[in-house]
Amino acid sequence: MQQEIRFATFNVCNLAPPGAKLYDNLAPLSPEEYEAKASWIARQLDELDADVIGFQEIFSQAALRDVLARTRKYREALHAGFDPDPQATRLTPSVALVSRLPLAAPAAAYPAFPADVPCDSGSLDSDRFARAPLHVQVLLPGERIVDVFVVHLKSRRPDYRNGDSGADPLHYAMASLRSLVWRGTEAVALRVLLSKMMRETRRPCVVLGDFNDTADAVTTTIVLGNGGTYGGEGAASEERRGRLYDCHRIQRSQDPLRHVGYTNIHEGRYSTIDHVLVSEEFTGDSPRAIGEVLDVSYFNDHLRLAKPEASDHGQVLVRLRLYG
């Protein structure tokens, strides 16, 4: 039985066929730009060599399938994902998952917030995710199912309204606050989805994605959750069952001299906004553990080179060891 499983998250930065519409302020890819981008992503995938990969910023699932056909290691891999809604009030990319492990059920997307999540961002789309999370049941060796979520939370890009612009400091501040509120509400909605699923299925869980925030940010810690306690006998056990853990913090191999974990460079600032989270079944010290996080690697050399075909995000690769 395979003892090591590798999970990765990969924001590809606006993958779409040549000529396809992207954002209003972003020109479509030319045939030459698409060719360079698709080839770069394919090479990066082969270097990652992960068993399960979550993708962000996919404008076309067909383009992702074309990328997979260019690889050496993913031509036969399973692909799950849905194209962006062409009827949406604003065009945004979607997420996807590629797996070399079998899938236990069809993939499901969650565009709308759960009914009990308050919507107060002021946006016309305030009752839904900017990019719908994708849920896929992946079959691990030994016939154990793990619930994998691929997510991409709202960016920090200011959410301007009614002709506002960044030229006015107050407009900029309020637009940034609206983005934060929206991202925070998405974090709450994701936490509700995860809590409900983990209570009902009692299965291991992995969350892959671009959180647009650091691991210690309020929005990310909302997703991590405290599990919720219900009182009475076994309350502590139930609290832990609902939590998620940042793989970077719980990895077995911690080497402070090689701490180069960043996935984004913005205005000269290095930060890690792409994360892999796991449930207690992969923490090692839990009585319900089925494995542990060996180490976390960051594929980010391309960020300093700033090649036009490369992503503006680093990739995160997590190695898990399954217990026999």
Side-chain angles (χ1 to χ4, degrees), residues 20 27 31 63 72 92 122-123 135-136 166 169 202 227 264 273 281 287-288:
R72 292 180 290 106
T92 56
S123 166
H135 173 210
V136 183
R202 305 281 171 158
N264 186 256
I273 59 176
E281 286 86 354
R288 289 188 282 264

Side-chain angles (χ1 to χ4, degrees), residues 159-168 170-172 174-175 178:
D159 185 10
Y160 292 109
R161 307 278 174 82
N162 304 319
D164 292 350
S165 75
D168 186 315
L170 178 58
H171 290 174
Y172 173 80
M174 292 302 299
R178 282 191 287 267

Side-chain angles (χ1 to χ4, degrees), residues 88-92 111-113 117-132 152-161 174-190 211-213 219 222:
T89 55
R90 67 176 77 191
L91 182 63
T92 56
F113 291 165
V117 174
C119 307
D120 55 1
S121 71
S123 166
L124 294 175
D125 301 319
S126 63
D127 62 342
R128 61 191 54 246
F129 290 94
R131 275 85 47 150
H152 187 183
L153 298 190
K154 175 70 177 70
S155 73
R156 300 186 186 190
R157 186 178 297 111
D159 185 10
Y160 292 109
R161 307 278 174 82
M174 292 302 299
S176 297
L177 176 60
R178 282 191 287 267
S179 286
L180 174 59
V181 171
W182 193 352
R183 186 167 65 258
T185 308
E186 286 188 326
V188 172
L190 182 58
F211 288 72
N212 271 305
D213 250 330
T219 53
I222 287 173

Side-chain angles (χ1 to χ4, degrees), residues 8-323:
T9 184
F10 191 162
N11 183 323
V12 298
C13 187
N14 301 326
L15 177 63
K21 177 178 173 58
L22 298 172
Y23 297 111
D24 291 338
N25 62 345
L26 194 63
L29 294 173
S30 69
E32 296 75 19
E33 289 171 331
Y34 173 79
E35 186 66 26
K37 187 174 191 64
S39 297
W40 180 85
I41 296 172
R43 291 193 300 271
Q44 201 75 354
L45 286 175
D46 282 332
E47 185 176 356
L48 276 170
D49 194 19
D51 297 295
V52 180
I53 305 175
F55 293 87
Q56 299 84 38
E57 298 200 12
I58 304 294
F59 276 94
S60 165
Q61 300 293 336
L64 178 55
R65 288 191 290 271
D66 175 55
V67 168
L68 298 177
R70 298 167 183 250
T71 66
R72 292 180 290 106
K73 301 178 180 179
Y74 295 92
R75 293 175 184 175
E76 304 300 323
L78 301 173
H79 164 242
F82 304 93
D83 280 321
D85 179 5
Q87 304 303 319
T89 55
R90 67 176 77 191
L91 182 63
T92 56
S94 59
V95 301
L97 179 138
V98 169
S99 176
R100 297 189 302 206
L101 299 175
L103 305 184
Y110 296 91
F113 291 165
D116 52 348
V117 174
C119 307
D120 55 1
S121 71
S123 166
L124 294 175
D125 301 319
S126 63
D127 62 342
R128 61 191 54 246
F129 290 94
R131 275 85 47 150
L134 183 71
H135 173 210
V136 183
Q137 297 178 32
V138 176
L139 197 62
L140 296 178
E143 302 301 309
R144 184 184 292 269
I145 295 174
V146 58
D147 289 299
V148 181
F149 272 77
V150 185
V151 303
H152 187 183
L153 298 190
K154 175 70 177 70
S155 73
R156 300 186 186 190
R157 186 178 297 111
D159 185 10
Y160 292 109
R161 307 278 174 82
N162 304 319
D164 292 350
S165 75
D168 186 315
L170 178 58
H171 290 174
Y172 173 80
M174 292 302 299
S176 297
L177 176 60
R178 282 191 287 267
S179 286
L180 174 59
V181 171
W182 193 352
R183 186 167 65 258
T185 308
E186 286 188 326
V188 172
L190 182 58
R191 169 36 56 185
V192 171
L193 286 173
L194 292 168
S195 293
K196 183 176 186 294
M197 183 197 66
M198 286 191 281
R199 283 199 307 268
E200 292 178 351
T201 68
R202 305 281 171 158
R203 293 195 295 249
C205 180
V206 176
V207 181
L208 311 168
D210 174 1
F211 288 72
N212 271 305
D213 250 330
T214 58
D216 59 353
V218 171
T219 53
T220 311
T221 56
I222 287 173
V223 178
L224 290 169
N226 65 2
T229 55
Y230 305 97
E233 184 178 354
S237 176
E238 284 299 298
E239 187 274 340
R240 181 162 184 166
R241 186 186 290 277
R243 289 188 60 189
L244 292 169
Y245 300 81
D246 174 19
C247 285
H248 176 76
R249 295 185 178 181
I250 65 172
Q251 62 182 311
R252 177 173 288 276
S253 301
Q254 294 276 5
D255 186 353
L257 297 180
R258 298 184 65 254
H259 182 67
V260 289
Y262 61 88
T263 65
N264 186 256
I265 305 175
H266 180 67
E267 296 181 348
R269 297 192 299 271
Y270 292 68
S271 61
T272 303
I273 59 176
D274 304 84
H275 310 289
V276 177
L277 313 180
V278 295
S279 59
E280 66 162 320
E281 286 86 354
F282 299 111
T283 59
D285 61 348
S286 166
R288 289 188 282 264
I290 65 169
E292 62 185 336
V293 178
L294 292 177
D295 53 44
V296 181
S297 301
Y298 297 85
F299 290 64
N300 51 24
D301 288 345
H302 60 277
L303 295 179
R304 292 180 289 103
L305 299 176
K307 292 182 178 181
E309 69 271 20
S311 174
D312 57 353
H313 283 247
Q315 293 80 57
V316 184
L317 174 69
V318 171
R319 291 196 308 134
L320 300 175
R321 180 170 71 89
L322 299 180
Y323 299 149

